[in-house]
Amino acid sequence: LALRSVNSCRSAYGCVLFSPVFFQHYQWSNSVKMNDNDLTVSNLNCKLGMKSILPIFRCLNSLERNVEKCKIFTRSDKCKVVIQFFCRHGIRRTHNVCFQESQPLQVIFEKNMCSNTLMIQPRVLAEAIVLFTSSQEEVTLAVTPLSVCLKSSSDEPMDLTSSVYSEMFVAPDEFDFFQIGVDSEITFCFKELKGMLTFSEATHAPIAIHFDFPGKPMALSIDDMLLEANFILATLADEPSRTSSPQSLCLSQKQKRSDRLGSNSEAGKNVTSKAPECIQRKVAPKRLYPKETLTDVSALENHDSPRMKRANGDLSEVPESSVSNTEKVPGSLNQRKFSSMFFGAVSSDQQEHFNHPSDSLATASDSEEDMNNGGFSTF
Amino acid sequence: MEVVVQAQCPGPSLSLPAAGVSNMVAKLAKACTLRISPEKLNFIVSDKVANGGVSMWCELEQENFFSEFQMEGVSAENNEIYLELTAENLSRALKTAQNARALKVKLTNKHFPCLTISIELLSVSSSSRIVTHDIPVKVIPRKLWKDLQEPAVPDADVSIYLPVLKTMKSIVEKMKNISNHLIIEANLSGELNLKIETELVCVTTHFKDLGNPPTARDAAARDRDPAQMAEVHLDIRRLLQFLAGQQVGPTKAVCNIVSNKMVHFDLLHEDVSLQYFIPAFS
């Protein structure tokens, strides 16, 4: 089971893969109407609205107290996912969520090729996070072979009303794995890091952070036996003049349809070279911009256009001078290359019928208006 | 002009009061003034219109909190520094010092004058970690200092010890739902009442046997009938702001009432003294 999401300005992508053993019972039946072409694999690929599904798993505490079993199954003939909670006292709660078919959104990112890799227990990172106020949008991670520093990022000149500038040094020996190939300072969105951290605290597995230089996306990943999660975040490029036209990330040439899973590392390399992962940033620092290789070639392309309702309204704030692509994301979707996931843990036999022990869905945050982590406690 | 302040293993002793004070100030006003002098630190909120005329004066003796305290004021005759800062910034920064091993505060100038707080923390994995916060501040020029002096303790008609603040707070919170206009009255027999009156309902909470501070009792020689109440009409929200800021029960809490003019709260929390002035409804 793969759950994927990308935020509306395409600066953050999350994917969580659940292996069948995560569930008590995982069953996939072949008799699905839509698989009437003869692809060797037949998956159910669909998308659900966040606002439909998050409220179902919202109150984690009450779910844990009351729900004995959770069953999720799909009715392909009805384009619906049914989520059933079998609660105490014989109560059964059923939610029907309609879905739309869509091609999976996938990203190529060779995390193993990054020069810098850190692995750290989530609690350690969580301690660092409390230093930063929620009003700070971005944080900067600065690494050298001898030190790691997490600091608040702001390029506006400081004044009396600014937020506090905070920084925290973490010694290399606090990391489970520490490999720094190149000194680097990357800046990325704080909110997404918080979201990922909440998820990782639930899994108790260490978080691996893979990154290179500013501008290149970074990956946060968790890998334990039952699931594998990857969150790919855009980082701020080191642009001397911010209003200059960015090299777009989506000017990669149009490609044919989806590569399947089981990706090829060449495709990965191709993409990284062709689509410079610059992210445009407005002078008044706001959101990070679309990162590399995020594409979505689907039959329903227009439907996949990101919801433009971010609270910040960044996309609309983009200066005129910039190249058009990155902002008008829907348009650029057509340009984008479809890239496939890089980890092989994904089984191509995605099953339809599955039982799901009462556990929260892991989803990357989407727009700012959506609850950051529906089922998780918020910071 | 320089400030270097250091505290070793402050633990609860520094962070709690200082964080508590800055927390309280943050609830009261956005900006506050920090006055640093050789002997003490003061948090000052002066009676701007924005606060509804409320003012606050808080004092800490530095030697009770810091192992090392070094400061150099504006000049030799005026060996003080007045800084304006956003209270919330300070309270957040101090919050991380809750379990600190060591704390250092310095006045720095990094593109902008800042109060730099360096905290040495012991992390979960038992290794040392250094956290730094730069809080932007504005140095207040000497000509404005006169507005920021310790307010005179008013000549009160009645002085009385306050009841448990938490109780008072929950009562005032409920009363706020009924009316914005609160009457606080007390007498020299240890009785204090909180009253609200509307067309439909009157609610009064009576506190008895509170006791009056000795100075008040002496002044009672000024033949004031001990049972006579001195009252002030207040904006309930100001009172609530004050009560909401009191996280920890004070060692001593006195309320001075100047009839129909203002209420003065005089609190002592361990080694931190706090004075709060709420004017009457105009």
Side-chain angles (χ1 to χ4, degrees):
Chain A
L1 170 67
L3 296 173
R4 298 186 183 93
S5 187
V6 69
N7 71 358
S8 50
C9 69
R10 305 283 164 153
S11 64
Y13 164 89
C15 170
V16 185
L17 299 176
F18 295 92
S19 101
V21 300
F22 181 84
F23 306 99
Q24 269 180 343
H25 176 88
Y26 191 83
Q27 180 196 317
W28 174 67
S29 140
N30 219 335
S31 57
V32 185
K33 191 186 79 178
M34 49 188 142
N35 294 327
D36 49 359
N37 47 15
D38 45 340
L39 284 174
T40 48
V41 294
S42 39
N43 303 333
L44 173 63
N45 293 313
C46 62
K47 60 178 185 169
L48 305 165
M50 281 290 194
K51 289 206 151 89
S52 316
I53 200 149
L54 280 183
I56 299 175
F57 291 95
R58 175 151 283 156
C59 298
L60 190 55
N61 287 336
S62 92
L63 284 183
E64 286 188 346
R65 266 200 310 254
N66 298 322
V67 175
E68 287 162 1
K69 188 170 82 165
C70 171
K71 184 168 161 183
I72 304 179
F73 56 93
T74 59
R75 308 270 298 266
S76 60
D77 53 329
K78 291 198 177 151
C79 278
K80 252 195 319 195
V81 170
V82 183
I83 300 173
Q84 274 187 328
F85 292 113
F86 293 84
C87 308
R88 286 191 320 180
H89 313 303
I91 297 173
R92 186 168 55 170
R93 212 165 56 164
T94 306
H95 299 268
N96 296 310
V97 185
C98 292
F99 63 73
Q100 275 181 322
E101 283 181 44
S102 81
Q103 289 302 322
L105 207 57
Q106 289 165 332
V107 166
I108 284 185
F109 188 78
E110 280 297 327
K111 63 181 180 181
N112 297 316
M113 283 179 44
C114 287
S115 358
N116 299 330
T117 304
L118 300 171
M119 228 160 92
I120 192 168
Q121 289 296 327
R123 263 173 325 155
V124 182
L125 206 49
E127 279 180 351
I129 296 301
V130 296
L131 300 180
F132 301 100
T133 64
S134 42
S135 60
Q136 280 159 335
E137 288 217 359
E138 291 155 0
V139 293
T140 300
L141 177 66
V143 296
T144 69
L146 301 173
S147 72
V148 174
C149 175
L150 201 59
K151 53 191 181 180
S152 46
S153 146
S154 169
D155 58 328
E156 282 161 0
M158 222 180 192
D159 69 5
L160 195 56
T161 55
S162 315
S163 277
V164 180
Y165 167 82
S166 307
E167 62 179 37
M168 180 163 121
F169 280 89
V170 184
D173 55 12
E174 292 204 52
F175 292 89
D176 292 354
F177 181 81
F178 186 85
Q179 180 192 294
I180 300 293
V182 54
D183 289 5
S184 170
E185 260 194 42
I186 50 169
T187 302
F188 51 91
C189 183
F190 185 40
K191 180 167 158 268
E192 267 111 38
L193 176 65
K194 276 206 285 197
M196 209 266 179
L197 200 55
T198 320
F199 173 64
S200 68
E201 286 184 316
T203 61
H204 306 295
I207 301 177
I209 309 174
H210 303 266
F211 57 103
D212 273 315
F213 48 84
K216 181 159 180 236
M218 63 182 284
L220 297 169
S221 59
I222 293 172
D223 195 346
D224 80 4
M225 290 180 308
L226 303 178
L227 58 82
E228 186 178 333
N230 285 281
F231 292 80
I232 313 228
L233 307 180
T235 66
L236 217 50
D238 238 355
E239 294 273 44
S241 86
R242 292 194 194 93
T243 49
S244 65
S245 329
Q247 280 120 341
S248 142
L249 3 117
C250 19
L251 280 186
S252 34
Q253 65 279 23
K254 223 193 277 203
Q255 288 250 342
K256 51 188 179 341
R257 274 211 167 219
S258 56
D259 320 329
R260 270 299 155 178
L261 313 165
S263 93
N264 34 359
S265 47
E266 300 132 26
K269 292 196 185 87
N270 273 343
V271 169
T272 44
S273 57
K274 275 173 186 137
E277 325 69 342
C278 282
I279 292 132
Q280 179 203 1
R281 191 195 194 200
K282 208 186 155 251
V283 174
K286 288 301 167 194
R287 257 345 184 154
L288 304 173
Y289 268 79
K291 59 187 171 6
E292 67 159 319
T293 70
L294 186 54
T295 65
D296 186 340
V297 176
S298 78
L300 313 167
E301 260 165 27
N302 293 330
H303 294 266
D304 291 333
S305 56
R307 282 163 254 157
M308 301 282 225
K309 54 178 166 66
R310 305 204 68 114
N312 277 349
D314 297 81
L315 294 171
S316 56
E317 286 171 28
V318 171
E320 328 298 313
S321 61
S322 59
V323 176
S324 59
N325 51 348
T326 50
E327 320 65 332
K328 301 293 174 265
V329 183
S332 56
L333 279 176
N334 299 320
Q335 297 293 327
R336 287 178 176 170
K337 192 178 89 142
F338 192 84
S339 8
S340 46
M341 199 74 77
F342 60 90
F343 32 83
V346 181
S347 126
S348 39
D349 306 337
Q350 294 207 353
Q351 281 111 340
E352 270 178 52
H353 296 267
F354 40 85
N355 282 352
H356 187 317
S358 191
D359 208 344
S360 301
L361 289 178
T363 52
S365 63
D366 199 349
S367 82
E368 275 178 284
E369 286 147 5
D370 288 339
M371 265 256 301
N372 197 353
N373 308 291
F376 303 116
S377 55
T378 49
F379 281 101
Chain B
M1 199 169 44
E2 182 196 63
V3 172
V4 176
V5 155
Q6 204 150 286
Q8 280 297 118
C9 304
S13 64
L14 168 70
S15 44
L16 217 39
V21 173
S22 49
N23 214 7
M24 177 177 45
V25 178
K27 292 197 165 110
L28 172 62
K30 191 146 186 287
C32 84
T33 302
L34 178 62
R35 171 182 174 243
I36 306 171
S37 57
E39 312 292 310
K40 41 197 183 198
L41 280 184
N42 294 93
F43 288 89
I44 308 165
V45 176
S46 54
D47 52 1
K48 305 258 170 49
V49 179
N51 306 332
V54 173
S55 56
M56 189 201 80
W57 176 270
C58 175
E59 191 162 293
L60 298 91
E61 306 244 333
Q62 59 87 357
E63 63 184 10
N64 293 332
F65 300 98
F66 302 111
S67 56
E68 186 194 307
F69 189 87
Q70 224 174 288
M71 67 138 310
E72 196 184 284
V74 170
S75 65
E77 316 86 55
N78 298 294
N79 197 14
E80 296 177 318
I81 304 173
Y82 286 72
L83 300 172
E84 188 184 324
L85 48 78
T86 305
E88 165 136 29
N89 286 345
L90 184 60
S91 71
R92 268 188 201 276
L94 289 177
K95 232 195 264 188
T96 55
Q98 292 279 14
N99 299 311
R101 243 212 204 139
L103 175 84
K104 194 166 175 181
V105 180
K106 246 176 144 162
L107 189 58
T108 57
N109 196 333
K110 308 178 175 180
H111 313 295
F112 193 80
C114 286
L115 208 57
T116 297
I117 302 189
S118 303
I119 303 168
E120 190 188 323
L121 289 173
L122 207 53
S123 81
V124 170
S125 42
S126 313
S127 52
S128 205
R129 203 180 285 165
I130 310 268
V131 176
T132 312
H133 295 287
D134 288 330
I135 303 172
V137 297
K138 185 168 104 178
V139 180
I140 298 180
R142 211 151 43 86
K143 59 180 189 255
L144 297 175
W145 288 8
K146 57 179 174 13
D147 299 328
L148 296 163
Q149 295 310 305
E150 180 165 3
V153 175
D155 217 359
D157 295 310
V158 169
S159 280
I160 189 169
Y161 288 121
L162 284 169
V164 175
L165 291 183
K166 246 198 195 154
T167 312
M168 238 179 117
K169 175 181 158 215
S170 57
I171 289 170
V172 175
E173 252 171 5
K174 308 277 164 40
M175 286 180 162
K176 176 165 165 284
N177 296 328
I178 303 177
S179 166
N180 267 349
H181 190 127
L182 173 89
I183 303 169
I184 183 170
E185 59 179 22
N187 64 19
L188 290 169
S189 307
E191 291 173 342
L192 178 112
N193 299 334
L194 298 172
K195 289 205 291 212
I196 42 171
E197 294 167 346
T198 69
E199 289 167 352
L200 296 176
V201 68
C202 284
V203 182
T204 309
T205 306
H206 302 265
F207 294 94
K208 295 198 162 71
D209 297 323
L210 294 172
N212 302 84
T215 47
R217 274 184 255 122
D218 294 340
R222 275 190 271 144
D223 46 30
R224 186 192 168 87
D225 175 11
Q228 188 195 4
M229 291 282 181
E231 69 170 30
V232 176
H233 295 239
L234 297 177
D235 184 340
I236 204 174
R237 291 166 296 187
R238 305 292 164 217
L239 181 60
L240 199 52
Q241 251 175 341
F242 163 66
L243 292 169
Q246 304 308 309
Q247 310 284 33
V248 188
T251 324
K252 177 187 114 173
V254 172
C255 172
N256 296 314
I257 299 184
V258 180
S259 266
N260 300 316
K261 288 248 166 54
M262 75 149 127
V263 180
H264 168 233
F265 294 104
D266 188 354
L267 306 182
L268 189 61
H269 276 109
E270 314 254 327
D271 291 317
V272 180
S273 105
L274 176 66
Q275 293 185 62
Y276 209 91
F277 301 82
I278 307 181
F281 248 145
S282 47

